[in-house]
Amino acid sequence: MVFVHAPVLAPIKGEDRKSTRSSSNQGFHSIDLPAYRRPGEVEKKTSAAWSGGGGGNMVRDAVDYRGCPADRSATGGWVAAALVLGIELCERLSTMGIAVNLVTYLTGTMHLPSAAAANVVTDFMGTSFLLCLLGGFLADSFLGRYLTIAVFALVQSIGTALLAASTLVTHLRPPPGEQPTPVQMAVLYACLYLIALGTGGLKSSVSGFGTDQFDDRDGRERAAMGLFFNRFFFFISLGTLLAVTVLVYVQDHVGRSWAYGICSAAMLAAIAVFLSGTRRYRYKRSSGSPIVHILQVLVAAARKRGVVKRPPTAAALYEDDRPEHARIAHTAQFPCLDMAAVVAGEEDNEVAGPGGRAAAPNPWKLCSVSRVEEVKMVARLMPVWATTILFWTIYAQMITFSVEQATTMDRRVGAGFEIPAASLTVFFVGAIMLTLAVYDRVFIPLCRVLTGKQGFTNLEKIGIGLALSILGMAAAALCEKKRLAVAGNSGTPMISVFLLTPQFLLVGAGEAFIYTGQLDFFITRSPKGMKTMSTGLFLTTLSLGFFFSSVLVSLVKGATTWLGDTIDCSRLDYFYWLLAVLSVLNLAAYLVCAKWAAAAASPEHQQPHTTAADAEEKC
């Protein structure tokens, strides 16, 4: 058993808390690690960290495990970031080791119909990514990223261990030819969704905590942070590669309980390694829950709409006394939200603060311009967010129906070796890693020499990923039509499983573009204080993509005969063509949204002033 302990140090009391109070007196901010320091530590050292002082070797807005200003030479950097990458590697190994081969367990051992088994897998994966929002909320509001990662990694390890134990118990599996009982399915669901809770809880914080180890105000560390995203995705791909090769082989030839036990042990080892870096990490100050801040702006704006007139210039809007570098310039877009920053009078204020200090604005009635602009930045993300969901619906087919296709095809290599069906996803992972390598090592240098640019923009990457997914579904439909023709002719040898390679390669290359493009888009276009939430928002596109797959499968199964109890009794090629057509329409919608997002990000579309009449007309 691994126990997670925060460093036992003296809490900041009394006057020492002043440095952690927000400038707008909206309560105390939390630090990623609780704001502890040694008794007698000089207050001005902590204050210097918040203000950016503390000497040239101190990192602004970061503390060490004791709550003292973080020393650049003793904390953070690649040593600390590498420990974070290790836990992401084991998380992917564990989650994908279960997901990619789960459909064969559900159809072969639990005797579920093909469509029902696919929906169990997609619901499990969808819930895992949806719970990233919960993990982000807890990290921002209560636990901090460090404790969130440690606690939910332990939850995932426990869930995987219970799943390993459940596969050993004979009474938890139905007899041959019989459907599983409600109790058997309830135990399976309990294990799967405990794993989903652990995955969702830690995943939204891992990338954010990794980037916390670099100071974006330092040129060298900012460059290293850019490399961190590439290596982060490489470790995701490496964990998935190990899952679809080594773990799938162990599941099929040694036993699922052994494979799931390996996942649990790997996660425990990763937790131990992660905790070993406690003294090395940098912990960033949290400004509270972004979800609460968004709600405050929406409520304040709604209360004043039609009641209070907007001032003629943006200069008359309320701004708090945060440092100049932390403020966000006013933009003309979404002027209806500016009503949250209109000063209406005394009703915007709370009672006088402690010690007779001036009254503080009620954040549910009056928000600063910077807070309003943060909400506008999130609003600008939403059209692109909505048009990237369908890609992950297509991705879901690669770990469900495509794996089922592989079980009915000739998987022999040489004289005595048969490739596990789920291991065909190695082509999917290989396409991701090959695409990233060629793009980084060949395309970007060539593009830099020929055009002076640094490759594709994040919006262009997303568009390329969506286009490749359309080609992937077309290839999958053609392959399935060929497979059905052979399966219907008993005198014809089974078709080679390598016919599935094009669909895996195309969708895998598409994921390499769209995942890195989405991550870059959501991180760089989101407010600084909402990085964890924006990562969770990005991951919800994966979640909703999986859920939409479940809904679409259920609708198609109910309305057509395309999806039967087995894929040999189905017309899966029609289903793939349906996804291809939907993807074409989605790509057209994305191009419109991407053009709007690019225009919204340009300086000429971010005017600092607007008139009240214009604001009312646009709203």
Side-chain angles (χ1 to χ4, degrees):
M1 179 67 70
V2 176
F3 295 95
V4 180
H5 295 286
V8 182
L9 299 165
I12 298 175
K13 298 180 180 179
E15 291 299 313
D16 294 340
R17 290 186 182 259
K18 290 181 181 178
S19 64
T20 61
R21 183 176 288 276
S22 71
S23 58
S24 59
N25 296 313
Q26 296 178 17
F28 297 105
H29 291 305
S30 63
I31 303 174
D32 192 7
L33 193 64
Y36 293 111
R37 62 178 179 84
R38 290 180 178 175
E41 196 73 28
V42 181
E43 167 68 19
K44 65 182 181 182
K45 289 183 69 178
T46 306
S47 298
W50 300 154
S51 63
N57 211 36
M58 296 300 172
V59 182
R60 180 191 291 178
D61 294 337
V63 297
D64 61 16
Y65 75 103
R66 300 169 299 177
C68 299
D71 187 328
R72 191 183 308 277
S73 62
T75 62
W78 275 114
V79 174
L83 301 178
V84 181
L85 290 174
I87 208 162
E88 176 63 23
L89 171 68
C90 292
E91 182 275 322
R92 283 292 84 188
L93 176 71
S94 178
T95 303
M96 295 306 296
I98 294 168
V100 294
N101 208 22
L102 183 59
V103 69
T104 61
Y105 178 74
L106 295 172
T107 55
T109 303
M110 303 300 288
H111 309 142
L112 292 181
S114 175
N119 282 354
V120 170
V121 177
T122 52
D123 287 345
F124 162 64
M125 293 296 290
T127 303
S128 298
F129 290 112
L130 185 63
L131 287 171
C132 290
L133 285 178
L134 173 64
F137 174 76
L138 294 176
D140 288 330
S141 304
F142 302 105
L143 299 178
R145 291 170 182 163
Y146 169 82
L147 284 179
T148 300
I149 293 171
V151 169
F152 284 97
L154 184 59
V155 170
Q156 182 177 12
S157 180
I158 293 172
T160 310
L162 292 176
L163 182 63
S166 71
T167 60
L168 286 174
V169 180
T170 306
H171 294 298
L172 295 179
R173 301 191 301 271
E178 295 185 15
Q179 292 291 305
T181 65
V183 172
Q184 291 170 338
M185 290 304 298
V187 171
L188 177 64
Y189 283 139
C191 296
L192 289 177
Y193 286 100
L194 190 61
I195 296 168
L197 176 62
T199 300
L202 71 92
K203 196 163 183 63
S204 63
S205 294
V206 172
S207 60
F209 192 65
T211 57
D212 284 349
Q213 308 313 310
F214 303 99
D215 182 10
D216 59 3
R217 297 177 180 86
D218 180 89
R220 287 180 299 179
E221 292 199 18
R222 184 169 58 251
M225 186 189 297
L227 291 175
F228 173 81
F229 285 115
N230 291 341
R231 295 178 185 180
F232 178 76
F233 191 64
F234 174 80
F235 271 72
I236 289 177
S237 301
L238 180 60
T240 305
L241 181 63
L242 292 173
V244 302
T245 53
V246 177
L247 278 180
V248 167
Y249 182 85
V250 172
Q251 289 174 29
D252 286 356
H253 294 85
V254 180
R256 288 183 183 269
S257 57
W258 278 98
Y260 297 156
I262 290 172
C263 292
S264 181
M267 205 67 204
L268 287 173
I271 295 171
V273 172
F274 176 74
L275 294 179
S276 70
T278 299
R279 293 172 178 264
R280 178 77 192 186
Y281 295 136
R282 294 175 188 168
Y283 305 91
K284 294 294 182 72
R285 181 187 186 186
S286 172
S287 57
S289 170
I291 296 176
V292 173
H293 293 162
I294 292 173
L295 291 176
Q296 287 173 342
V297 172
L298 296 178
V299 170
R303 279 179 168 177
K304 295 176 182 176
R305 177 168 171 77
V307 178
V308 179
K309 289 187 177 181
R310 189 185 185 282
T313 64
L317 298 175
Y318 169 74
E319 181 60 275
D320 55 28
D321 57 351
R322 69 179 68 192
E324 189 68 30
H325 69 83
R327 295 183 180 182
I328 304 176
H330 176 263
T331 61
Q333 205 171 28
F334 307 121
C336 52
L337 294 177
D338 289 336
M339 297 302 297
V342 176
V343 180
E346 290 299 322
E347 60 270 21
D348 285 336
N349 295 332
E350 296 176 337
V351 296
R357 287 179 299 193
N362 183 339
W364 295 95
K365 295 181 179 180
L366 181 63
C367 302
S368 66
V369 171
S370 294
R371 185 71 75 205
V372 172
E373 289 301 320
E374 288 178 344
V375 178
K376 290 183 181 181
M377 292 174 72
V378 174
R380 294 184 190 108
L381 301 176
M382 300 313 294
V384 171
W385 172 86
T387 50
T388 54
I389 292 172
L390 191 60
F391 175 88
W392 301 105
T393 299
I394 290 175
Y395 172 91
Q397 313 316 311
M398 297 299 102
I399 60 174
T400 54
F401 287 125
S402 291
V403 173
E404 284 194 74
Q405 284 178 288
T407 61
T408 67
M409 302 171 78
D410 184 6
R411 293 177 279 120
R412 292 173 297 175
V413 177
F417 181 74
E418 185 176 70
I419 303 173
S423 289
L424 262 294
T425 52
V426 72
F427 293 109
F428 185 79
V429 182
I432 294 172
M433 301 180 76
L434 181 62
T435 301
L436 289 175
V438 172
Y439 182 78
D440 287 341
R441 302 298 181 184
V442 179
F443 182 79
I444 289 182
L446 186 63
C447 190
R448 190 182 298 122
V449 171
L450 296 179
T451 66
K453 297 182 179 180
Q454 297 296 319
F456 296 119
T457 66
N458 46 36
L459 290 172
E460 289 170 344
K461 285 183 179 180
I462 295 172
I464 292 171
L466 293 176
L468 288 172
S469 70
I470 297 172
L471 298 177
M473 281 298 94
L478 295 173
C479 171
E480 176 63 9
K481 184 177 181 180
K482 176 68 174 177
R483 191 196 67 82
L484 285 174
V486 173
N489 189 345
S490 58
T492 306
M494 285 195 301
I495 193 171
S496 172
V497 76
F498 293 106
L499 195 64
L500 296 173
T501 303
Q503 65 200 62
F504 282 114
L505 292 179
L506 287 167
V507 179
E511 186 189 353
F513 281 107
I514 200 169
Y515 193 103
T516 54
Q518 277 187 288
L519 188 60
D520 185 17
F521 178 79
F522 281 92
I523 289 291
T524 58
R525 298 287 188 96
S526 65
K528 184 177 181 181
M530 298 185 181
K531 298 299 184 185
T532 302
M533 191 202 73
S534 65
T535 303
L537 189 64
F538 152 54
L539 293 173
T540 58
T541 62
L542 282 74
S543 170
L544 295 177
F546 282 108
F547 284 135
F548 182 65
S549 176
S550 297
V551 171
L552 192 61
V553 166
S554 298
L555 290 175
V556 170
K557 183 175 175 60
T560 70
T561 59
W562 296 354
L563 301 176
D565 290 341
T566 65
I567 60 170
D568 284 344
C569 299
S570 305
R571 288 307 306 260
L572 192 58
D573 54 331
Y574 292 169
F575 181 66
Y576 285 152
W577 280 122
L578 173 63
L579 283 172
V581 171
L582 291 176
S583 297
V584 170
L585 299 176
N586 181 72
L587 178 59
Y590 169 78
L591 293 176
V592 175
C593 295
K595 184 177 180 180
W596 177 84
S602 61
E604 59 269 21
H605 286 78
Q606 299 185 6
Q607 300 298 328
H609 302 290
T610 185
T611 65
D614 289 341
E616 292 295 330
E617 183 179 351
K618 290 180 182 179
C619 258

